[in-house]
Coordinates of all heavy atoms in Angstrom, one line a residue:
M138 N -2.6 2.3 10.6 CA -3.1 2.4 9.3 C -4.4 1.6 9.1 O -4.5 0.6 9.6 CB -2.0 1.9 8.3 CG -2.5 2.0 6.8 SD -1.3 1.3 5.7 CE -1.4 -0.4 6.0
T139 N -5.3 2.2 8.3 CA -6.5 1.5 8.0 C -6.5 1.2 6.5 O -6.1 2.0 5.7 CB -7.7 2.5 8.3 OG1 -7.6 2.9 9.6 CG2 -9.0 1.8 8.0
I140 N -7.0 0.0 6.2 CA -7.1 -0.4 4.8 C -8.6 -0.7 4.5 O -9.2 -1.5 5.1 CB -6.3 -1.8 4.5 CG1 -4.9 -1.6 4.8 CG2 -6.5 -2.2 3.0 CD1 -4.1 -2.9 4.8
N141 N -9.1 0.2 3.5 CA -10.5 0.0 3.1 C -10.4 -0.8 1.7 O -9.7 -0.4 0.8 CB -11.2 1.3 2.9 CG -11.3 2.1 4.2 OD1 -11.6 1.5 5.2 ND2 -10.9 3.3 4.2
K142 N -11.2 -1.9 1.7 CA -11.1 -2.7 0.5 C -12.4 -2.7 -0.3 O -13.5 -2.8 0.4 CB -10.8 -4.1 1.0 CG -10.7 -5.2 -0.1 CD -10.1 -6.5 0.4 CE -11.1 -7.4 0.9 NZ -10.6 -8.8 1.2
N143 N -12.3 -2.7 -1.6 CA -13.5 -2.8 -2.4 C -13.1 -3.7 -3.6 O -12.3 -3.4 -4.4 CB -13.9 -1.4 -3.0 CG -15.1 -1.4 -3.8 OD1 -15.8 -2.4 -3.9 ND2 -15.4 -0.3 -4.5
A144 N -13.8 -4.9 -3.6 CA -13.5 -5.9 -4.6 C -14.7 -6.1 -5.5 O -15.8 -6.2 -5.0 CB -13.1 -7.2 -4.0
Q145 N -14.5 -6.0 -6.8 CA -15.6 -6.2 -7.8 C -15.0 -7.1 -9.0 O -14.0 -6.6 -9.6 CB -16.1 -4.9 -8.4 CG -16.8 -4.1 -7.4 CD -17.3 -2.7 -8.0 OE1 -16.8 -2.3 -9.0 NE2 -18.2 -2.1 -7.3
D146 N -15.5 -8.2 -9.1 CA -15.0 -9.2 -10.2 C -13.5 -9.3 -10.1 O -13.0 -9.8 -9.1 CB -15.4 -8.7 -11.6 CG -17.0 -8.6 -11.7 OD1 -17.6 -9.5 -11.2 OD2 -17.5 -7.7 -12.3
C147 N -12.8 -8.9 -11.1 CA -11.3 -9.1 -11.1 C -10.6 -7.8 -10.7 O -9.4 -7.7 -10.9 CB -10.9 -9.5 -12.5 SG -11.5 -11.1 -13.0
K148 N -11.3 -6.8 -10.2 CA -10.7 -5.5 -9.8 C -10.7 -5.4 -8.3 O -11.7 -5.7 -7.6 CB -11.5 -4.4 -10.4 CG -10.9 -3.0 -10.0 CD -11.7 -1.9 -10.7 CE -11.1 -0.5 -10.3 NZ -11.8 0.6 -10.9
L149 N -9.6 -5.0 -7.7 CA -9.5 -4.8 -6.3 C -8.9 -3.4 -6.0 O -7.9 -3.0 -6.6 CB -8.5 -5.8 -5.7 CG -8.1 -5.6 -4.2 CD1 -9.4 -5.8 -3.3 CD2 -7.0 -6.6 -3.7
E150 N -9.7 -2.6 -5.2 CA -9.3 -1.3 -4.9 C -9.0 -1.2 -3.4 O -9.9 -1.6 -2.6 CB -10.3 -0.2 -5.3 CG -9.8 1.2 -5.0 CD -10.7 2.2 -5.7 OE1 -11.5 1.9 -6.6 OE2 -10.6 3.4 -5.4
L151 N -7.8 -0.8 -3.0 CA -7.4 -0.6 -1.6 C -7.2 0.9 -1.4 O -6.4 1.5 -2.1 CB -6.2 -1.4 -1.3 CG -6.2 -2.9 -1.5 CD1 -4.9 -3.5 -1.2 CD2 -7.3 -3.5 -0.6
T152 N -7.8 1.4 -0.3 CA -7.6 2.8 0.1 C -6.9 2.7 1.4 O -7.3 2.1 2.4 CB -9.0 3.5 0.3 OG1 -9.7 3.5 -1.0 CG2 -8.7 5.0 0.7
L153 N -5.7 3.3 1.4 CA -4.8 3.3 2.6 C -5.0 4.6 3.3 O -4.8 5.7 2.7 CB -3.4 3.0 2.2 CG -3.1 1.8 1.3 CD1 -1.6 1.7 1.1 CD2 -3.7 0.6 2.0
V154 N -5.1 4.5 4.7 CA -5.3 5.7 5.5 C -4.3 5.7 6.6 O -4.2 4.7 7.3 CB -6.7 5.8 6.1 CG1 -6.9 7.0 7.0 CG2 -7.8 5.8 5.0
G155 N -3.5 6.7 6.7 CA -2.5 6.8 7.8 C -1.1 6.6 7.4 O -0.7 7.3 6.4
R156 N -0.3 5.8 8.0 CA 1.1 5.6 7.7 C 1.5 4.2 7.3 O 1.1 3.3 8.0 CB 2.0 6.0 9.0 CG 1.8 7.4 9.4 CD 2.5 7.7 10.8 NE 3.9 7.3 10.8 CZ 4.9 8.1 10.5 NH1 4.6 9.4 10.1 NH2 6.1 7.7 10.6
L157 N 2.2 4.1 6.3 CA 2.6 2.7 5.8 C 4.1 2.6 6.2 O 5.0 3.2 5.5 CB 2.4 2.6 4.3 CG 2.8 1.3 3.6 CD1 2.2 0.1 4.3 CD2 2.5 1.3 2.2
D158 N 4.4 2.0 7.3 CA 5.7 1.9 7.8 C 6.1 0.5 8.3 O 5.3 -0.4 8.0 CB 5.9 3.0 8.9 CG 4.9 2.9 10.1 OD1 4.4 1.8 10.3 OD2 4.7 3.9 10.7
T159 N 7.1 0.4 9.1 CA 7.6 -0.9 9.5 C 6.5 -1.6 10.4 O 6.4 -2.8 10.3 CB 8.8 -0.7 10.4 OG1 9.8 0.0 9.7 CG2 9.5 -2.1 10.8
T160 N 5.7 -0.9 11.1 CA 4.7 -1.4 11.9 C 3.5 -1.9 11.1 O 2.9 -2.9 11.4 CB 4.2 -0.4 13.0 OG1 5.4 0.1 13.6 CG2 3.3 -1.0 14.0
T161 N 3.1 -1.2 10.1 CA 1.9 -1.4 9.4 C 2.1 -2.2 8.0 O 1.1 -2.7 7.5 CB 1.1 -0.1 9.1 OG1 1.9 0.8 8.4 CG2 0.7 0.5 10.4
A162 N 3.3 -2.2 7.5 CA 3.6 -2.9 6.2 C 3.1 -4.3 6.3 O 2.6 -4.8 5.3 CB 5.0 -2.7 5.8
P163 N 3.4 -5.1 7.3 CA 2.9 -6.5 7.4 C 1.4 -6.6 7.2 O 0.9 -7.6 6.7 CB 3.4 -7.0 8.7 CG 4.6 -6.1 9.1 CD 4.2 -4.8 8.5
Q164 N 0.7 -5.6 7.7 CA -0.8 -5.6 7.6 C -1.2 -5.5 6.1 O -2.0 -6.3 5.6 CB -1.4 -4.4 8.3 CG -2.8 -4.3 8.3 CD -3.3 -2.9 8.9 OE1 -2.5 -2.2 9.6 NE2 -4.6 -2.6 8.8
L165 N -0.5 -4.6 5.3 CA -0.8 -4.5 3.9 C -0.4 -5.8 3.2 O -1.1 -6.3 2.3 CB -0.2 -3.3 3.3 CG -0.3 -3.1 1.8 CD1 -1.8 -3.0 1.4 CD2 0.4 -1.8 1.3
E166 N 0.8 -6.3 3.5 CA 1.3 -7.5 2.9 C 0.3 -8.7 3.1 O 0.1 -9.4 2.1 CB 2.7 -7.8 3.5 CG 3.4 -8.9 2.8 CD 4.8 -9.0 3.3 OE1 5.1 -8.7 4.5 OE2 5.7 -9.4 2.5
A167 N -0.2 -8.8 4.3 CA -1.1 -9.9 4.5 C -2.4 -9.7 3.8 O -3.0 -10.7 3.2 CB -1.4 -10.0 6.0
E168 N -2.9 -8.5 3.7 CA -4.1 -8.2 2.9 C -3.9 -8.5 1.5 O -4.8 -9.1 0.8 CB -4.5 -6.7 3.1 CG -5.8 -6.3 2.4 CD -7.0 -7.1 2.8 OE1 -7.3 -7.1 4.1 OE2 -7.7 -7.7 2.0
L169 N -2.8 -8.1 0.9 CA -2.5 -8.4 -0.5 C -2.4 -9.9 -0.8 O -3.0 -10.4 -1.7 CB -1.3 -7.7 -1.0 CG -1.4 -6.2 -1.1 CD1 0.0 -5.5 -1.3 CD2 -2.3 -5.8 -2.3
K170 N -1.7 -10.6 0.1 CA -1.6 -12.1 -0.1 C -2.9 -12.7 -0.1 O -3.2 -13.7 -0.8 CB -0.7 -12.7 1.0 CG 0.8 -12.4 0.7 CD 1.7 -13.1 1.7 CE 3.1 -12.9 1.4 NZ 4.1 -13.4 2.4
H171 N -3.8 -12.3 0.8 CA -5.1 -12.8 1.0 C -6.1 -12.5 -0.2 O -6.9 -13.3 -0.6 CB -5.7 -12.3 2.3 CG -7.1 -12.8 2.6 ND1 -8.2 -12.1 2.3 CD2 -7.6 -14.0 3.0 CE1 -9.3 -12.8 2.6 NE2 -8.9 -14.0 3.1
S172 N -5.9 -11.3 -0.8 CA -6.9 -10.8 -1.7 C -6.5 -10.7 -3.2 O -7.3 -10.5 -4.0 CB -7.3 -9.3 -1.3 OG -7.7 -9.3 0.0
I173 N -5.2 -10.9 -3.5 CA -4.7 -10.6 -4.8 C -4.9 -11.7 -5.8 O -4.9 -11.5 -7.0 CB -3.2 -10.2 -4.7 CG1 -2.9 -9.2 -5.9 CG2 -2.3 -11.4 -4.7 CD1 -1.5 -8.6 -5.7
S174 N -5.2 -12.9 -5.3 CA -5.4 -14.1 -6.2 C -6.6 -13.8 -7.1 O -7.7 -13.5 -6.7 CB -5.6 -15.3 -5.4 OG -5.8 -16.4 -6.2
G175 N -6.4 -14.0 -8.4 CA -7.4 -13.8 -9.4 C -7.7 -12.4 -9.8 O -8.6 -12.1 -10.6
V176 N -7.0 -11.4 -9.2 CA -7.2 -10.0 -9.5 C -6.4 -9.6 -10.7 O -5.2 -9.9 -10.8 CB -6.8 -9.1 -8.3 CG1 -6.7 -7.7 -8.7 CG2 -7.7 -9.4 -7.1
S177 N -7.0 -9.0 -11.7 CA -6.3 -8.5 -12.9 C -6.0 -7.0 -12.9 O -5.2 -6.5 -13.6 CB -7.0 -8.9 -14.2 OG -8.3 -8.3 -14.2
E178 N -6.8 -6.3 -12.0 CA -6.6 -4.9 -11.9 C -6.5 -4.5 -10.4 O -7.5 -4.6 -9.7 CB -7.7 -4.1 -12.6 CG -7.5 -2.6 -12.6 CD -8.7 -1.9 -13.2 OE1 -9.6 -2.5 -13.8 OE2 -8.7 -0.6 -13.2
L179 N -5.4 -4.0 -9.9 CA -5.2 -3.6 -8.6 C -5.0 -2.1 -8.5 O -4.2 -1.5 -9.2 CB -4.0 -4.3 -7.9 CG -3.6 -3.8 -6.5 CD1 -4.7 -4.1 -5.5 CD2 -2.3 -4.5 -6.1
V180 N -5.9 -1.4 -7.8 CA -5.8 0.1 -7.6 C -5.6 0.4 -6.2 O -6.3 -0.1 -5.3 CB -7.1 0.7 -8.1 CG1 -7.1 2.2 -7.9 CG2 -7.4 0.4 -9.6
M181 N -4.6 1.2 -5.9 CA -4.3 1.6 -4.5 C -4.5 3.1 -4.5 O -3.9 3.9 -5.3 CB -2.9 1.3 -4.1 CG -2.7 -0.2 -4.0 SD -1.1 -0.5 -3.2 CE -1.1 -2.2 -2.9
D182 N -5.4 3.6 -3.6 CA -5.7 5.0 -3.4 C -4.9 5.5 -2.2 O -5.1 5.1 -1.1 CB -7.2 5.2 -3.2 CG -7.6 6.7 -3.3 OD1 -6.8 7.5 -2.8 OD2 -8.7 6.9 -3.7
F183 N -4.0 6.5 -2.5 CA -3.1 7.0 -1.4 C -3.5 8.4 -1.0 O -2.8 9.1 -0.4 CB -1.7 7.1 -1.9 CG -0.9 5.8 -1.9 CD1 -1.6 4.6 -1.7 CD2 0.5 5.8 -2.1 CE1 -0.9 3.4 -1.7 CE2 1.2 4.6 -2.0 CZ 0.5 3.4 -1.9
A184 N -4.8 8.8 -1.3 CA -5.3 10.1 -1.0 C -5.1 10.5 0.5 O -4.8 11.6 0.9 CB -6.7 10.3 -1.4
E185 N -5.3 9.5 1.4 CA -5.2 9.7 2.8 C -4.0 9.0 3.5 O -3.9 8.9 4.7 CB -6.5 9.2 3.5 CG -7.7 10.0 3.0 CD -9.0 9.5 3.7 OE1 -9.1 9.7 4.9 OE2 -9.8 8.9 3.0
L186 N -3.0 8.6 2.6 CA -1.8 8.1 3.2 C -0.8 9.2 3.5 O -0.5 10.0 2.6 CB -1.1 7.1 2.1 CG 0.0 6.3 2.7 CD1 -0.5 5.3 3.7 CD2 0.7 5.5 1.6
E187 N -0.3 9.3 4.7 CA 0.5 10.4 5.1 C 2.0 10.1 4.9 O 2.8 11.1 4.8 CB 0.3 10.7 6.6 CG -1.2 11.0 6.9 CD -1.5 10.8 8.4 OE1 -0.6 10.5 9.2 OE2 -2.7 11.0 8.8
Y188 N 2.4 8.9 5.0 CA 3.8 8.5 5.0 C 4.1 7.1 4.5 O 3.2 6.3 4.7 CB 4.3 8.7 6.5 CG 5.8 8.2 6.7 CD1 6.8 9.0 6.4 CD2 6.0 6.9 7.2 CE1 8.1 8.6 6.6 CE2 7.3 6.5 7.4 CZ 8.4 7.3 7.1 OH 9.7 6.9 7.3
I189 N 5.2 6.9 3.9 CA 5.6 5.6 3.5 C 7.1 5.4 3.8 O 7.9 6.2 3.5 CB 5.3 5.3 2.0 CG1 5.5 3.8 1.6 CG2 6.0 6.2 1.1 CD1 4.9 3.4 0.3
S190 N 7.4 4.2 4.4 CA 8.8 3.9 4.7 C 9.3 2.9 3.8 O 8.6 2.4 2.9 CB 8.9 3.4 6.2 OG 8.4 2.0 6.2
S191 N 10.6 2.5 3.9 CA 11.2 1.5 3.1 C 10.5 0.2 3.2 O 10.4 -0.6 2.2 CB 12.7 1.3 3.4 OG 12.8 0.9 4.8
A192 N 9.9 -0.1 4.3 CA 9.1 -1.4 4.5 C 7.9 -1.3 3.6 O 7.5 -2.3 3.0 CB 8.8 -1.6 6.0
G193 N 7.3 -0.1 3.6 CA 6.1 0.0 2.7 C 6.5 -0.1 1.3 O 5.7 -0.7 0.4
L194 N 7.6 0.5 0.9 CA 8.1 0.4 -0.5 C 8.3 -1.0 -0.9 O 8.0 -1.4 -2.0 CB 9.3 1.2 -0.7 CG 9.2 2.8 -0.6 CD1 10.6 3.4 -0.6 CD2 8.3 3.3 -1.6
R195 N 8.8 -1.8 0.0 CA 9.1 -3.2 -0.3 C 7.8 -4.0 -0.6 O 7.7 -4.8 -1.5 CB 9.8 -3.9 0.9 CG 10.2 -5.3 0.7 CD 10.8 -5.9 2.0 NE 10.0 -5.8 3.1 CZ 8.9 -6.5 3.4 NH1 8.5 -7.5 2.5 NH2 8.2 -6.4 4.5
V196 N 6.8 -3.7 0.2 CA 5.4 -4.3 -0.1 C 4.9 -3.9 -1.4 O 4.4 -4.7 -2.2 CB 4.5 -4.0 1.1 CG1 3.1 -4.6 0.8 CG2 5.0 -4.5 2.4
L197 N 5.0 -2.6 -1.8 CA 4.6 -2.2 -3.1 C 5.3 -2.8 -4.2 O 4.7 -3.2 -5.2 CB 4.7 -0.6 -3.2 CG 3.8 0.2 -2.3 CD1 4.1 1.7 -2.6 CD2 2.4 -0.1 -2.5
L198 N 6.6 -3.0 -4.1 CA 7.4 -3.6 -5.1 C 7.0 -5.1 -5.3 O 6.9 -5.6 -6.4 CB 8.9 -3.6 -4.7 CG 9.9 -4.0 -5.7 CD1 9.8 -3.3 -7.0 CD2 11.3 -3.9 -5.2
A199 N 6.8 -5.8 -4.2 CA 6.3 -7.2 -4.2 C 5.0 -7.3 -4.9 O 4.8 -8.2 -5.8 CB 6.3 -7.8 -2.9
A200 N 4.1 -6.4 -4.6 CA 2.8 -6.4 -5.2 C 2.9 -6.1 -6.7 O 2.2 -6.7 -7.6 CB 1.9 -5.3 -4.6
Q201 N 3.8 -5.1 -7.1 CA 4.0 -4.8 -8.5 C 4.5 -6.0 -9.3 O 4.0 -6.3 -10.4 CB 4.9 -3.6 -8.7 CG 5.1 -3.2 -10.1 CD 3.9 -2.6 -10.7 OE1 3.4 -1.6 -10.2 NE2 3.3 -3.2 -11.7
K202 N 5.4 -6.8 -8.7 CA 5.9 -8.0 -9.4 C 4.8 -9.0 -9.6 O 4.8 -9.6 -10.7 CB 7.1 -8.6 -8.5 CG 8.3 -7.8 -8.6 CD 9.4 -8.5 -7.8 CE 10.7 -7.7 -7.9 NZ 11.8 -8.3 -7.1
V203 N 4.0 -9.2 -8.6 CA 2.9 -10.1 -8.8 C 1.9 -9.6 -9.9 O 1.5 -10.4 -10.8 CB 2.1 -10.3 -7.5 CG1 0.8 -11.1 -7.7 CG2 3.0 -11.0 -6.5
M204 N 1.6 -8.3 -9.8 CA 0.6 -7.8 -10.8 C 1.2 -7.7 -12.2 O 0.4 -7.7 -13.2 CB 0.1 -6.4 -10.3 CG -0.8 -6.5 -9.1 SD -2.1 -7.7 -9.2 CE -3.1 -7.1 -10.5
N205 N 2.5 -7.6 -12.4 CA 3.1 -7.7 -13.7 C 2.8 -9.0 -14.4 O 2.6 -9.0 -15.6 CB 4.6 -7.5 -13.6 CG 5.0 -6.0 -13.4 OD1 4.2 -5.1 -13.6 ND2 6.3 -5.9 -13.0
K206 N 2.6 -10.0 -13.6 CA 2.3 -11.4 -14.2 C 0.8 -11.6 -14.4 O 0.4 -12.3 -15.3 CB 2.8 -12.4 -13.2 CG 4.3 -12.5 -13.1 CD 4.8 -13.5 -12.1 CE 6.3 -13.4 -11.9 NZ 6.7 -14.0 -10.7
Q207 N 0.0 -10.9 -13.6 CA -1.5 -11.2 -13.8 C -2.4 -10.1 -14.1 O -3.6 -10.2 -14.2 CB -1.9 -11.9 -12.5 CG -1.9 -11.0 -11.2 CD -2.2 -11.8 -10.0 OE1 -1.7 -12.9 -9.7 NE2 -3.2 -11.4 -9.2
G208 N -1.8 -8.9 -14.4 CA -2.6 -7.8 -14.7 C -1.9 -6.4 -14.6 O -0.7 -6.3 -14.9
S209 N -2.6 -5.5 -14.0 CA -2.0 -4.1 -13.8 C -2.2 -3.6 -12.4 O -3.1 -4.1 -11.7 CB -2.7 -3.2 -14.8 OG -4.0 -3.0 -14.5
M210 N -1.3 -2.7 -12.0 CA -1.4 -2.1 -10.7 C -1.3 -0.6 -10.9 O -0.3 -0.1 -11.6 CB -0.3 -2.6 -9.8 CG -0.3 -2.0 -8.4 SD 0.8 -2.8 -7.3 CE 1.9 -1.4 -6.8
V211 N -2.2 0.2 -10.3 CA -2.1 1.7 -10.4 C -2.2 2.2 -9.0 O -3.0 1.8 -8.2 CB -3.3 2.2 -11.2 CG1 -3.4 3.7 -11.2 CG2 -3.3 1.6 -12.6
I212 N -1.4 3.3 -8.8 CA -1.5 4.0 -7.5 C -2.0 5.4 -7.8 O -1.5 6.1 -8.7 CB -0.1 4.1 -6.8 CG1 0.4 2.7 -6.5 CG2 -0.1 5.0 -5.6 CD1 1.7 2.6 -5.9
R213 N -3.1 5.8 -7.1 CA -3.7 7.1 -7.3 C -3.6 8.0 -6.2 O -3.5 7.6 -5.0 CB -5.2 6.8 -7.6 CG -5.4 6.1 -8.9 CD -6.9 6.1 -9.3 NE -7.0 5.4 -10.6 CZ -8.0 4.6 -10.9 NH1 -8.9 4.3 -10.0 NH2 -8.0 4.0 -12.1
H214 N -3.8 9.3 -6.5 CA -3.9 10.4 -5.4 C -2.7 10.4 -4.5 O -2.9 10.4 -3.3 CB -5.2 10.2 -4.7 CG -6.4 10.1 -5.6 ND1 -7.3 9.1 -5.5 CD2 -6.9 10.9 -6.5 CE1 -8.2 9.2 -6.4 NE2 -8.0 10.4 -7.1
V215 N -1.5 10.4 -5.0 CA -0.3 10.4 -4.2 C 0.0 11.9 -3.8 O 0.1 12.8 -4.7 CB 0.9 9.8 -5.0 CG1 2.2 9.9 -4.2 CG2 0.6 8.4 -5.4
N216 N 0.2 12.1 -2.6 CA 0.6 13.5 -2.1 C 2.0 13.8 -2.4 O 2.8 13.0 -2.8 CB 0.2 13.7 -0.6 CG 1.1 12.9 0.3 OD1 2.3 12.7 0.1 ND2 0.5 12.5 1.4
E217 N 2.4 15.1 -2.2 CA 3.7 15.6 -2.6 C 4.8 14.9 -1.8 O 5.9 14.5 -2.4 CB 3.8 17.1 -2.3 CG 3.1 17.9 -3.4 CD 3.3 19.4 -3.1 OE1 4.2 19.8 -2.4 OE2 2.4 20.2 -3.5
T218 N 4.6 14.6 -0.5 CA 5.6 14.0 0.3 C 5.9 12.6 -0.2 O 7.1 12.2 -0.3 CB 5.1 13.9 1.8 OG1 4.7 15.2 2.2 CG2 6.1 13.3 2.7
I219 N 4.9 11.8 -0.5 CA 5.1 10.4 -0.9 C 5.6 10.4 -2.3 O 6.5 9.6 -2.7 CB 3.8 9.6 -0.8 CG1 3.5 9.4 0.7 CG2 3.9 8.3 -1.5 CD1 2.2 8.8 1.1
M220 N 5.2 11.3 -3.2 CA 5.7 11.4 -4.6 C 7.2 11.7 -4.5 O 8.0 11.2 -5.3 CB 5.0 12.5 -5.3 CG 5.4 12.6 -6.8 SD 5.2 11.0 -7.7 CE 3.5 11.2 -8.3
E221 N 7.6 12.6 -3.6 CA 9.0 12.9 -3.5 C 9.8 11.6 -3.1 O 10.9 11.3 -3.7 CB 9.3 13.9 -2.4 CG 10.7 14.5 -2.4 CD 10.8 15.6 -1.4 OE1 9.9 16.5 -1.4 OE2 11.9 15.7 -0.8
I222 N 9.3 10.8 -2.2 CA 9.9 9.5 -1.8 C 10.0 8.6 -3.1 O 11.0 8.0 -3.3 CB 9.2 8.8 -0.7 CG1 9.3 9.7 0.6 CG2 9.7 7.4 -0.5 CD1 8.4 9.3 1.7
F223 N 8.9 8.5 -3.8 CA 8.9 7.7 -5.1 C 10.0 8.2 -6.0 O 10.6 7.4 -6.7 CB 7.5 7.7 -5.7 CG 6.5 6.9 -5.0 CD1 5.1 7.1 -5.3 CD2 6.8 5.9 -4.1 CE1 4.2 6.3 -4.7 CE2 5.8 5.1 -3.5 CZ 4.5 5.3 -3.8
E224 N 10.1 9.5 -6.2 CA 11.1 10.1 -7.1 C 12.5 9.8 -6.7 O 13.4 9.4 -7.5 CB 10.9 11.6 -7.3 CG 9.6 11.9 -8.1 CD 9.2 13.3 -8.0 OE1 9.9 14.2 -7.3 OE2 8.2 13.7 -8.7
V225 N 12.8 10.0 -5.4 CA 14.2 9.8 -4.9 C 14.6 8.3 -5.0 O 15.7 8.0 -5.3 CB 14.3 10.3 -3.4 CG1 15.6 9.9 -2.7 CG2 14.1 11.8 -3.4
T226 N 13.7 7.4 -4.7 CA 14.0 6.0 -4.7 C 13.9 5.4 -6.1 O 14.2 4.2 -6.3 CB 13.0 5.2 -3.8 OG1 11.7 5.4 -4.3 CG2 13.2 5.7 -2.4
G227 N 13.4 6.1 -7.1 CA 13.3 5.6 -8.5 C 12.0 4.8 -8.7 O 11.8 4.2 -9.7
F228 N 11.1 4.8 -7.7 CA 9.8 4.1 -7.8 C 8.9 4.7 -8.9 O 8.0 4.0 -9.4 CB 9.1 4.0 -6.5 CG 9.5 2.8 -5.7 CD1 10.9 2.6 -5.2 CD2 8.6 1.8 -5.3 CE1 11.3 1.5 -4.5 CE2 9.0 0.7 -4.6 CZ 10.3 0.5 -4.2
V229 N 9.1 5.9 -9.2 CA 8.3 6.5 -10.3 C 8.5 5.8 -11.6 O 7.6 5.8 -12.5 CB 8.6 8.0 -10.5 CG1 8.0 8.8 -9.4 CG2 10.1 8.3 -10.7
D230 N 9.7 5.1 -11.8 CA 9.9 4.4 -13.0 C 9.4 3.0 -12.9 O 9.3 2.3 -14.0 CB 11.5 4.3 -13.3 CG 12.1 5.7 -13.4 OD1 11.4 6.6 -14.0 OD2 13.2 5.9 -13.0
I231 N 9.0 2.5 -11.8 CA 8.6 1.1 -11.6 C 7.1 1.1 -11.5 O 6.4 0.2 -12.0 CB 9.2 0.5 -10.3 CG1 10.7 0.5 -10.4 CG2 8.6 -0.8 -10.0 CD1 11.4 0.2 -9.0
L232 N 6.5 2.0 -10.8 CA 5.0 2.0 -10.5 C 4.3 2.9 -11.5 O 4.8 3.8 -12.1 CB 4.8 2.6 -9.1 CG 5.5 1.9 -7.9 CD1 5.2 2.7 -6.7 CD2 5.0 0.5 -7.7
T233 N 3.0 2.5 -11.7 CA 2.1 3.4 -12.5 C 1.4 4.3 -11.5 O 0.6 3.8 -10.7 CB 1.1 2.5 -13.3 OG1 1.8 1.6 -14.1 CG2 0.2 3.4 -14.2
I234 N 1.6 5.6 -11.6 CA 1.1 6.6 -10.7 C 0.2 7.5 -11.4 O 0.6 8.1 -12.4 CB 2.2 7.3 -9.9 CG1 3.1 6.3 -9.2 CG2 1.6 8.3 -9.0 CD1 4.4 6.9 -8.7
E235 N -1.1 7.6 -11.0 CA -2.1 8.5 -11.6 C -2.5 9.6 -10.6 O -2.4 9.4 -9.4 CB -3.3 7.8 -12.0 CG -3.1 6.8 -13.1 CD -4.3 6.0 -13.5 OE1 -5.4 6.2 -12.8 OE2 -4.3 5.3 -14.5
E236 N -2.9 10.7 -11.1 CA -3.4 11.8 -10.2 C -4.6 11.5 -9.5 O -5.4 10.7 -9.9 CB -3.6 13.1 -11.0 CG -2.3 13.7 -11.5 CD -1.3 14.0 -10.4 OE1 -1.7 14.6 -9.4 OE2 -0.1 13.7 -10.6

C-alpha cells in the first residue's frame, strides 16, 4: 500500500493506494500517529484503495476516536467493495463517508 500525504495548516489528507490489510495496517497506523497531532480535519481518499481487512478497520476506528476529540474525519471515494464491508460491519454508522 502507498500513502500519499498532503498537509495544510490543520487539515491532513491521506490518499491510500492498494490494500489496507494485516500487512499494511501498521504502516497507516504509524503515519496517523506521526501526523495527526494538531489536525482538526482529517480526509482519507479511498479512490484507489482496493481492499480493507479487519486490521484496516481497526486503524480507522482508532483514528475516528482521536478525531472525535479534536475535529472531524471524512472518508471519500469509497468503491462498492469497501462500502459493502463498511455496511456489513456497521462502520457506515460510525464513519463519515462522502462520494
Side-chain angles (χ1 to χ4, degrees):
M138 179 181 71
T139 305
I140 301 172
N141 298 314
K142 181 169 92 170
N143 182 9
Q145 294 177 342
D146 300 322
C147 295
K148 180 179 180 179
L149 175 63
E150 185 166 347
L151 298 177
T152 303
L153 307 184
V154 180
R156 297 170 56 89
L157 180 53
D158 55 24
T159 308
T160 309
T161 58
Q164 178 186 353
L165 177 59
E166 189 172 30
E168 181 62 53
L169 286 168
K170 281 184 180 174
H171 179 261
S172 305
I173 207 168
S174 179
V176 170
S177 60
E178 185 182 355
L179 175 61
V180 177
M181 293 188 171
D182 190 325
F183 280 14
E185 297 180 66
L186 190 68
E187 301 162 5
Y188 173 81
I189 188 167
S190 73
S191 58
L194 292 173
R195 183 184 56 76
V196 174
L197 291 183
L198 186 59
Q201 183 65 65
K202 285 182 179 178
V203 170
M204 291 311 298
N205 283 344
K206 293 176 186 163
Q207 66 187 52
S209 66
M210 179 172 123
V211 174
I212 297 177
R213 294 191 177 137
H214 308 124
V215 178
N216 69 33
E217 286 181 25
T218 305
I219 292 173
M220 184 57 90
E221 189 174 320
I222 292 168
F223 285 164
E224 288 169 356
V225 168
T226 58
F228 271 62
V229 288
D230 300 325
I231 299 168
L232 303 172
T233 303
I234 303 168
E235 296 179 353
E236 291 301 317

